[in-house]
Amino acid sequence: MALDHLPETGVRCHTGEGGSEEPQVVPEARSGRRRSNRLLPGLLEVVRFQFNPKDGIDNPALSLAEDSEPEGALQLRFCFLKKEEGEDFGFWLRQEVGNSGHLVRHVKSGSLAHRKGLRECDRILEVNGVYVDDMEHIRVVWKIKRSGKQVLLTVVDGEAYSLARALDRNLAQLLPRYDRPRLCCVAKNQNGFGFSVSSPQGVKGVFRVSVVRNGPAEKAGVPDGSWLLELNGMNVKNWTHARLNKKLKQSNSPMGLLVINAESEEFYRQHNVKITAALANSSWLPFEVRKLQMTRGPDGYGFLLKEETCGSGKKGQFTREVDAGLPAEKAGMRDGDRLLGVNGESVEDLNHHGVVFKIRADSKQVTLLVIDEEGSKFFDLVGVSPLVFYDDQDMSGK
């Protein structure tokens, strides 16, 4: 399947319980992010040295006996692709008879994929940190497409992949262990949001989150001691504590937090990957994309589709006037649902007439992907499509 030929679619700021609901600034002396020198499984340690001609091959860093990789290790590559406007990723993803795995083909010379190290016959093992080697091919294509303008691919060259398969190796167990960032929706209660944020004195963009036990943040899945990356879709990398404090005061409920633990943050940083919400684990979110399968009745499907302005300012398609007892209501449609996909294809970038045309393409049945009104508002707030996190076992749309 040709991927590019598919439609593209110290201070402490307190926001917690047991005190004022407004964030408070309290001086605190803290060190920066903790660095880890742990060698990740499946990766080879690179020894740096200054070459001395007098030492020659006896230089310990050049010792062939010490240059062997750990048994079972894979030489993994992490390719972070970020497209500019009008640019494509520059490769095809295929599934071929006689070649297992998700196969990289037709890497364009000079393209984004080529510049970032993707090569002919590479196999893709992970998409945005999600293991995909045993996943249906069309679902892998979907994940890459719905990543938007940037995607993180974990790849291995074709020969190493084939050898690992021949030796019956479990590829998932050979991958490095790291946690994806976590996207959380924190709703304020009578005592606040249930967390505080601390920062080293005079250091920008380093904010450690402390959560109140059994408070809203903890219940929303925010880990105690994690690092704050984004607040309501805004990257805090260059923020001062004063700016963060101001933004926290201005934030409405619910609040969107993107957080990560120290070890995983270092993993991404070492591989020059910018962490965004598209890479996140969304399992703690109270919203999910719903799949509605409908067969047209004598009176139609029983809903009105209207184009309205979303929280992001973009136009979206929303379901209104859902008739009781007709196919749409029986399939689980609710008034105010936002329509995201039709028959397995995203329609977020289509206008109203384009979406209606796709729905009417089959006069007898249709499969829709929708999210409720509150979920639509949250994903607009954090600046990512809900479809990034959608993973259906059956991507046929039927």
Side-chain angles (χ1 to χ4, degrees), residues 308-351:
E308 302 174 10
T309 302
C310 305
S312 63
K314 294 176 59 178
K315 297 293 185 181
Q317 309 303 317
F318 292 83
T319 61
R320 301 295 183 188
E321 301 180 23
V322 181
D323 295 326
L326 292 187
E329 191 215 32
K330 289 181 179 179
M333 183 179 289
R334 308 165 191 162
D335 187 77
D337 280 344
R338 181 177 175 180
L339 181 58
L340 304 172
V342 177
N343 293 332
E345 295 185 15
S346 170
V347 297
E348 290 181 285
D349 295 326
L350 297 183
N351 60 27

Side-chain angles (χ1 to χ4, degrees), residues 188-254:
K188 179 191 272 187
N189 68 9
Q190 66 274 13
N191 294 317
F193 289 101
F195 71 93
S196 61
V197 181
S198 58
S199 170
Q201 189 73 36
V203 178
K204 290 184 178 181
V206 180
F207 304 107
R208 187 176 184 273
V209 180
S210 299
V211 301
V212 177
R213 185 176 179 83
N214 295 321
E218 184 181 69
K219 292 178 180 178
V222 179
D224 187 49
S226 56
W227 298 104
L228 178 64
L229 302 173
E230 291 185 5
L231 170 65
N232 295 334
M234 297 176 287
N235 191 294
V236 302
K237 180 180 179 180
N238 297 315
W239 286 14
T240 63
H241 70 265
R243 184 177 181 185
L244 177 62
N245 187 34
K246 181 179 179 180
K247 293 293 185 181
L248 288 171
K249 287 181 178 180
Q250 295 173 343
S251 183
N252 295 320
S253 181

